[in-house]
Every structure is written in C-alpha cells, then in structure tokens.
Amino acid sequence: MAKIFDKIIDRYGTYSIKYDPVSRGRPQDVLPMWVADMDFAAPSCVTDALTECVRHGIFGYSDPDAAYFDVVQGWFFRRFNWSVEREWLVNTPGVVNAMYVAVRALTEAGDGVVIQQPVYYPFESAVRHTRKLLVNRLVYENEKYVIDFDDFENKIKQAKLFILCSPHNPVGRVWTRNELMRMGEICLKHGVYIFADEIWQDFVFSGHKHLVFSALAPEFADITITATAPSKTFNTAGLQHANIFIPDKTMRNKFKREYAACGLSQASITGLVSCKAAYEHGEEWLDALLVYLSGNMSLIRDFLGERLPKIRPVEPEGTYLAWLNCSALGFSPQELDEIITTKAKLWLSSGTIFGAGGEGFTRINAACPRAVLKDALVRLERVL
C-alpha cells in the first residue's frame, strides 16, 4: 500500500490554500510545506462514498442518524477504549470553529483563558480579542518539551478555561497519563473548564499512546469539551466536519446555545458521508499511512543529522509535523524565514506564528510523498 503514498498529485488550480502562495505574499515558485493538510488522496472508501452521494444529486439539510453515530462510537472504542454516548455529540464545521464557540459559551469578556505556547495560532486568536490571554509557556529542555506545572497552576488560578492541545501542534508531544492527570487535577481544584483539541489523536508514533483526556476520570468528563474530527486523519478538511463530545448536559446546552447564536445549524452532508465511510472502512489505510509517515520522520532525522547538523528536529511523538530547531544557525526569525522562502524556495511555517517560544524554530509538514520531502531537504542543504 505504500506506493499510493508515493504518488505525486498536482494540486495547483484546485482552490488549495496550500498551493496558492501568491495570495499570501509568497513567491510563485516555492514548494509548499506549511499548512497541515496532506498531499495524499483520501482513501478510496471515502471517495467512493462521496461519489455515490454526488450521484444521488440532492444535497439538502442533513443531520447524523443512529447508523452514523454507531460507526463513530465504534471508532473511538476500538482505537482509544473510549465509550461515547449519542447525546454527547454536537457536529460543527470544524475544531477551530468549536473552540471559538466554547470560549464564548464558557467564559465572559475579560475572563482568563490558558493556552500552552508555542501552539497552533488559532488558540491565541480565539482568546485575545475578547478574553484575557494567559500563556503557560512550554519548557524546552534536553531536546524535549515539558510543562512548567508551577506556572501552569498560577495561570489556572486566574482562568475560567484551559485549551489543551493533545497531541500537541507544533511540538509533537503526546502527553503522558501523569501529565494529563496533573493538568486535570489542577483545573478541577480551581474550577476551570477544559477544551481538549484532540484532532491529532490518530497520529501517534511507536512507543507512545494517545489518551483521551475526558476518559481519564469521570470528574474530568464533567468539565471537558473534547473536539475531534476525521479531517486531519483522512485529509478531508475542506469538507468542514467535526465531532464534538460534551458529556455534561449543562455545558452542552451552553455550547449549543452559543453555536446557534453564531447562525450555525445542520451538519454538511459530505462531511457526514465522508466521516462515516472513513471510520467504517478506513482503518487499514490509516495504519499504512502511519508506517509511511514514520519513514518520512526518519528521513528528516537522518538527513539533518548527517548533512545539516545545526538544524535539530524535535523528536516527534505524534502529528505529521516536524518541529525544527534552527537556533544554532544564528539567524533572526525574519532572516531565517527570508532564507527559507527566497533562497531555498520553501514555504514552511515560521516558528514565531506559534507564539512564545517559537523563535528560532520552523515547522515542516511531512505528510507528502517521500520524493517531495527529499526535494525540500535538499533545497535546505543547498542554501545552508
């Protein structure tokens, strides 16, 4: 099956933001390896189901049925030993959308919200303009990121909501049971809600295991919104569909009221169809994908170690994003981005957009054919 991931698919002219550099101020000839979508086609079970949906020809208002929920429930039980209930489920266009809704539903203007930077930049934008942003900066030591729990509790004391990224984008951590339990206990102690962004849960490498935060203790479930989606896993982000689980009825009703106030209602028919097909028939494809991605991460590690030792990749435990420590090169963030873009002709994600602690880092999307990844690494080598 690995051969299907080696296939290079032309994405230019397909409305792809990843492959439209000019509209975002980048040269036309850069190799795009920035935004987190994959250059692999979705599995045939998904495309076949969507083809059948299109042939039907009617795309009216849609809601999930019992069969849809049974498939989703089966996915989470098989892969994460997590039993979800149908009444917990709220469908939204995406995890980021749900994050914005949760901030508004569970906090008021001026309330504190804790995030852990460097982190996916919508975490900050969901908070900054109407709430008090509190940053528990992750600590980079011995080439690994850890949590400063003293600072975490100090920030949580000032907050109403904590937004957890698990697994973490961009640093690639898969949080351990002890880390998750400690964060949860601190939030319980201070009466703080948790929004757990677990969209990367299917991308975990050997030796690590994703634990659903809400499933670790009944008390955690009572204060947590768990945000999931098939979009990263099966490369269907453009279909705008996420599964949000809220066990506590009061929290769920607050979320639903705010969701409705945003003018949102039914789920996308293509989102429902693709999710059901992926979770019902896509496991073999996903398992093969994880093997392929592990090989891509090994390529990055070996290439940089042998030919660009001043760039140190943070060992990824999860996601398909490689977080590269470029600080030993001695460039300012602006100089580094300029060199990568205009000289190496690469479009990567500058570490600075992920907030505090991102300086001197860059993020590369490794979910692409191996030949493309090799091309990107060689481009860096030629310049540096």
Side-chain angles (χ1 to χ4, degrees), residues 206-257:
S206 178
H208 304 279
K209 182 180 181 181
H210 174 73
L211 300 171
V212 175
F213 177 79
S214 181
L216 293 177
E219 297 85 357
F220 292 178
D222 291 341
I223 60 170
T224 301
I225 294 175
T226 304
T228 76
S231 53
K232 296 296 182 200
T233 309
F234 297 99
N235 209 24
T236 58
L239 298 181
Q240 299 287 297
H241 183 71
N243 296 306
I244 313 301
F245 296 98
I246 314 174
D248 182 78
K249 185 176 180 180
T250 301
M251 284 181 69
R252 188 166 63 247
N253 287 339
K254 287 181 179 180
F255 183 92
K256 284 183 173 181
R257 283 195 296 270

Side-chain angles (χ1 to χ4, degrees), residues 25-59:
R26 303 280 173 159
Q28 182 65 53
D29 56 351
V30 293
L31 180 63
M33 313 214 29
W34 63 290
V35 71
D37 70 17
M38 300 190 285
D39 286 335
F40 308 128
S44 59
C45 61
V46 170
T47 55
D48 289 347
L50 288 171
T51 299
E52 188 63 29
C53 177
V54 170
R55 283 177 178 157
H56 183 259
I58 297 177
F59 312 105

Side-chain angles (χ1 to χ4, degrees), residues 120-348:
Y120 183 44
Y121 39 90
F123 280 46
E124 179 174 338
S125 59
V127 175
R128 177 172 292 281
H129 298 298
T130 59
R131 307 297 189 259
K132 181 182 178 182
L133 180 68
L134 300 168
V135 176
N136 169 230
R137 181 169 168 173
L138 297 176
V139 179
Y140 185 53
E141 61 181 29
N142 300 320
E143 299 190 338
K144 182 177 180 176
Y145 282 90
V146 296
I147 298 167
D148 179 344
F149 279 102
D150 289 338
D151 180 70
F152 179 78
E153 182 159 16
N154 182 53
K155 298 293 169 54
I156 287 294
K157 289 177 182 177
Q158 308 170 53
K160 290 288 184 66
L161 176 67
F162 166 48
I163 306 178
L164 169 67
C165 192
S166 177
H168 194 283
N169 168 20
V171 308
R173 276 301 314 276
V174 175
W175 305 115
T176 65
R177 179 180 295 273
N178 286 342
E179 288 169 323
L180 293 170
M181 289 296 296
R182 194 168 175 186
M183 286 189 284
E185 288 164 357
I186 291 171
C187 288
L188 277 174
K189 177 181 175 182
H190 297 286
V192 171
Y193 295 117
I194 298 167
F195 181 91
D197 174 359
E198 302 191 12
I199 196 170
W200 292 101
Q201 61 191 8
D202 293 309
F203 294 99
V204 175
F205 297 115
S206 178
H208 304 279
K209 182 180 181 181
H210 174 73
L211 300 171
V212 175
F213 177 79
S214 181
L216 293 177
E219 297 85 357
F220 292 178
D222 291 341
I223 60 170
T224 301
I225 294 175
T226 304
T228 76
S231 53
K232 296 296 182 200
T233 309
F234 297 99
N235 209 24
T236 58
L239 298 181
Q240 299 287 297
H241 183 71
N243 296 306
I244 313 301
F245 296 98
I246 314 174
D248 182 78
K249 185 176 180 180
T250 301
M251 284 181 69
R252 188 166 63 247
N253 287 339
K254 287 181 179 180
F255 183 92
K256 284 183 173 181
R257 283 195 296 270
E258 189 62 36
Y259 182 78
C262 294
L264 302 168
S265 55
Q266 282 77 20
S268 155
I269 179 61
T270 53
L272 292 170
V273 166
S274 61
C275 179
K276 183 174 183 291
Y279 282 174
E280 192 168 18
H281 304 294
E283 250 171 311
E284 182 180 359
W285 180 91
L286 173 58
D287 290 341
L289 171 63
L290 292 173
V291 172
Y292 192 88
L293 291 174
S294 181
N296 277 4
M297 291 301 188
S298 294
L299 171 62
I300 292 172
R301 184 189 310 112
D302 295 344
F303 187 100
L304 295 179
E306 294 170 8
R307 298 159 73 170
L308 284 172
K310 284 189 175 182
I311 299 180
R312 301 286 295 177
V314 176
E315 186 62 30
E317 299 173 356
T319 83
Y320 53 66
L321 307 165
W323 185 236
L324 308 180
N325 182 0
C326 303
S327 57
L329 295 172
F331 300 120
S332 70
Q334 295 76 20
E335 290 170 334
L336 179 62
D337 190 46
E338 180 73 13
I339 289 168
I340 289 173
T341 303
T342 63
K343 295 186 177 180
K345 300 295 183 181
L346 287 174
W347 189 3
L348 308 184

